[in-house]
Amino acid sequence: MNQQHTTAVGETPGREPLSFLNPSAPEPWASFIEQIDRVAPHLGNLAGWLETLKHPKRILIVDVPVHRDDGSVAHYEGYRVQHNLSRGPGKGGVRFHPAVTLNEVMALSGWMTIKNAALNLPYGGAKGGIRLDPRTHSRGELQRITRRYTSEIGFIIGPDKDIPAPDVGTNEQTMAWMMDTYSMNIGSTATGVVTGKPISLGGSLGRHEATGRGVFIAAREAGQRSNVPIVGARVVIQGFGNVGGIAARMFHDAGAKVIAVQDHSATIANEAGIDIPAALAHAQAHGGLKDFPGATDISVSDFWSLPSDYLIPAALEGQILPERARTLKTRIVVEGANGPTTPAADDILRERGILVVPDVLANAGGVTVSYFEWVQDFSNFFWSEEEINSRLERIMVGAFEAIWKLAEERQVSLRTATFIIACQRVLAAREQRGLYP
Ligand code: GLU
């Protein structure tokens, strides 16, 4: 255990701590198992293989010792979980956050298996993480931590084995260090070992915006089918980073009013609509939304009870529990984060007629463009941003249509429909491959 574990993100004296952490939320892996169980009645004979998804294929726990700038040595616990590799190499991000646990990384890896299969990307599911607060580390420390972690998991990752990417607390720079470390260790430059890299190192145009763009596409598709137009819509967004921030800009540009946003530093609202480009510039300059002049501070409970058309949880898991699900005043929840709604809360939202576009569909834009990046790295032929965005649009809309249709046919939630399609693909591959030996 390291000392960083006790540091709450964004805790400011005299203010409400906005760690996004919800101590009463169920463990994420329990939520994943429950979601898997709900699919069983819809899988016919393939249900016999469902147990496979309750057992991650491979779990690696590593110690990450590092020299801190003050000369001391600190130890961090890191993980890489390869949940399922039936359909291809592992794929999924690496999270740096003080609340990372093995249980969380297992759930996140399982959701990657479902997401990749639902979008028909030729990948299994994987995820990694280190329990630390990146905000309390210098750039040099983060570089050393990233390099040692990459070396420790180096024997199970690779362009055709398992391909990490950014997640909460990591970014293009983290991926550059991971790519370099892996490449130095094998003696040749392997750009395809990670995605979400800087453009200059084999990264893809459009990758940075892809998750937020995908969230917007999913919201738009849901809105069209539920008669909730984007133009003039009231939008509430939790999280203002790579997912929430980009989605906010896309809603804003499309004529919606983003009336409230919460990040690690503040919860703010403006009934007339927040000037999103100004808020993004403020967050960039000051490291968060705190003291943004174009809005007023509101309480966390007011944030969750504001009347809205779209609610976008784009921070961490375990945000919408039964209590909040009973009082939310929104029409469509679009999950930018992984696992923000627990299964019990899902049921309440469904009873209340609130549509939920699940994480495994709504935030799949990021890994979809990661797939494009990986293909471009293999072929050493790079596509235009237009080409990337139009392929992303096609894949997201195609997946949405198929999931919507199945949900109507079977009278199930969009989440269950997504899980049915994904489990059919994964378990058919599992069955066809057969058990070894
Ligand atoms: N971390 C992102 C996710 O949860 C992206 C993963 C990837 O690009 O591999 O989907």
Side-chain angles (χ1 to χ4, degrees):
M1 255 342 118
N2 62 68
Q3 319 87 310
Q4 306 308 322
H5 192 60
T6 52
T7 315
V9 178
E11 202 167 322
T12 316
R15 291 174 68 99
E16 207 165 358
L18 297 176
S19 65
F20 297 135
L21 300 180
N22 208 335
S24 51
E27 293 277 27
W29 179 249
S31 294
F32 176 74
I33 296 282
E34 194 167 339
Q35 290 164 348
I36 289 292
D37 281 336
R38 289 174 175 208
V39 196
H42 301 278
L43 289 179
N45 288 343
L46 281 178
W49 289 98
L50 199 58
E51 188 67 18
T52 215
L53 297 177
K54 299 185 184 177
H55 301 273
K57 177 181 173 62
R58 192 173 283 140
I59 294 176
L60 181 60
I61 304 178
V62 295
D63 174 38
V64 184
V66 66
H67 283 293
R68 297 214 58 173
D69 293 343
D70 65 6
S72 64
V73 174
H75 290 259
Y76 302 95
E77 195 159 292
Y79 312 95
R80 185 73 188 171
V81 177
Q82 295 172 344
H83 175 260
N84 187 281
L85 305 181
S86 292
R87 300 178 62 257
K91 185 89 194 82
V94 174
R95 176 171 294 197
F96 287 1
H97 191 276
V100 164
T101 60
L102 176 59
N103 185 295
E104 181 194 43
V105 179
M106 283 164 64
L108 292 166
S109 71
W111 287 321
M112 287 311 302
T113 298
I114 300 299
K115 193 186 304 187
N116 293 333
L119 275 284
N120 215 0
L121 307 177
Y123 294 131
K127 201 86 176 196
I130 309 181
R131 183 164 53 249
L132 59 79
D133 182 354
R135 290 174 211 280
T136 62
H137 289 279
S138 69
R139 182 183 161 91
E141 288 178 349
L142 285 174
Q143 175 166 182
R144 295 193 287 279
I145 291 165
T146 302
R147 287 186 182 280
R148 181 61 186 253
Y149 169 73
T150 307
S151 248
E152 293 295 339
I153 65 166
F155 64 99
I156 63 164
I157 62 169
D160 53 7
K161 285 180 167 176
D162 179 5
I163 305 109
D167 195 77
V168 175
T170 56
N171 56 27
E172 283 91 345
Q173 178 61 73
T174 323
M175 294 305 115
W177 291 328
M178 289 190 77
M179 187 277 256
D180 183 68
T181 305
Y182 179 84
S183 297
M184 297 307 284
N185 284 345
I186 64 163
S188 62
T189 295
T191 52
V193 66
V194 289
T195 58
K197 298 179 296 294
I199 303 292
S200 56
L201 296 176
S204 176
L205 294 168
R207 174 62 185 86
H208 184 76
E209 296 79 20
T211 312
R213 181 178 289 276
V215 167
F216 177 76
I217 294 170
R220 187 196 67 206
E221 293 299 307
Q224 273 167 9
R225 289 166 176 81
S226 326
N227 207 15
V228 184
I230 297 277
V231 177
R234 292 165 59 87
V235 182
V236 171
I237 303 182
Q238 185 197 34
F240 205 55
N242 182 242
V243 183
I246 306 273
R249 205 189 68 213
M250 296 207 60
F251 273 105
H252 180 266
D253 291 352
K257 272 198 313 191
V258 180
I259 54 161
V261 181
Q262 182 184 63
D263 78 352
H264 64 93
S265 69
T267 308
I268 61 168
N270 181 342
E271 272 296 308
I274 296 167
D275 179 346
I276 294 297
L280 287 167
H282 180 93
Q284 172 84 17
H286 301 95
L289 286 167
K290 188 171 160 334
D291 299 329
F292 173 60
T296 47
D297 285 340
I298 58 167
S299 72
V300 172
S301 59
D302 284 351
F303 174 83
W304 288 103
S305 52
L306 274 177
S308 65
D309 297 303
Y310 293 91
L311 173 69
I312 322 286
L316 293 178
E317 58 271 6
Q319 300 301 299
I320 305 181
L321 306 185
E323 201 185 316
R324 272 184 192 157
R326 279 185 213 106
T327 54
L328 288 186
K329 295 191 193 73
T330 193
R331 296 167 78 185
I332 304 182
V333 175
V334 187
E335 296 183 334
N338 291 308
T341 313
T342 64
D346 237 356
D347 291 343
I348 294 167
L349 293 176
R350 190 162 162 77
E351 274 161 31
R352 294 187 58 215
I354 297 174
L355 180 65
V356 178
V357 188
D359 46 8
V360 281
L361 169 61
N363 70 31
V367 69
T368 301
V369 177
S370 275
Y371 166 54
F372 300 160
E373 179 174 333
W374 181 74
V375 168
Q376 292 172 85
D377 288 340
F378 265 115
S379 56
N380 287 300
F381 178 75
F382 289 86
W383 314 345
S384 70
E385 191 162 355
E386 249 176 7
E387 194 168 352
I388 284 154
N389 288 344
S390 75
R391 281 179 192 263
L392 171 63
E393 171 86 27
R394 220 179 312 145
I395 290 184
M396 287 289 299
V397 171
F400 194 101
E401 276 168 4
I403 289 162
W404 186 274
K405 192 162 160 266
L406 187 71
E408 289 205 317
E409 277 168 21
R410 304 264 178 115
Q411 288 297 301
V412 293
S413 67
L414 291 179
R415 189 183 318 276
T416 298
T418 310
F419 270 69
I420 293 172
I421 289 175
C423 289
Q424 278 169 343
R425 289 186 177 138
V426 176
L427 301 181
R430 184 82 196 81
E431 184 171 73
Q432 283 154 357
R433 285 178 66 158
L435 275 187
Y436 171 88

